């Protein structure tokens, strides 16, 4: 898949999270590309809603710029670290 005239500068994961009454927690954005899971930086939500963003300029599986095909196959989610 190609999109003429389009250059992908990177991807950005966005977590909008808050801590409930479960006590301190640590979460991370997680992506799966090339059959491998890559966890982002662990963050600790507060008791009010906060937005955590992380930008990945290259595909960690290929160490190359993202392609449209990479984005079509990408899976993303949230991991409970602790």
């Amino acid at each position: 898949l190609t999109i003429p005239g389009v250059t992908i500068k990177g991807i950005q994961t966005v977590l909008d999270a808050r801590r409930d009454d479960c006590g301190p927690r640590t979460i991370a954005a997680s992506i799966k590309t090339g059959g491998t899971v890559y966890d982002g930086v662990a963050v600790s939500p507060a008791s009010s809603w906060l937005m955590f963003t992380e930008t990945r300029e290259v595909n960690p599986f290929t160490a190359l710029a993202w392609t449209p095909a990479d984005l079509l196959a990408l899976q993303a989610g949230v991991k409970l670290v602790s």
Side-chain angles (χ1 to χ4, degrees), residues 1-58:
L1 172 70
T2 60
I3 304 172
V6 173
T7 301
I8 300 170
K9 299 288 185 178
I11 65 164
Q12 184 176 53
T13 52
V14 180
L15 302 179
D16 200 13
R18 73 178 171 97
R19 184 185 71 235
D20 213 339
D21 21 327
C22 61
R25 293 283 188 220
T26 305
I27 59 174
S30 185
I31 64 169
K32 185 176 182 181
T33 179
T36 304
V37 175
Y38 299 90
D39 294 331
V41 176
V43 294
S44 299
S47 57
S48 59
W49 288 98
L50 293 174
M51 185 179 295
F52 302 96
T53 62
E54 187 173 359
T55 302
R56 298 169 193 247
E57 294 179 358
V58 297

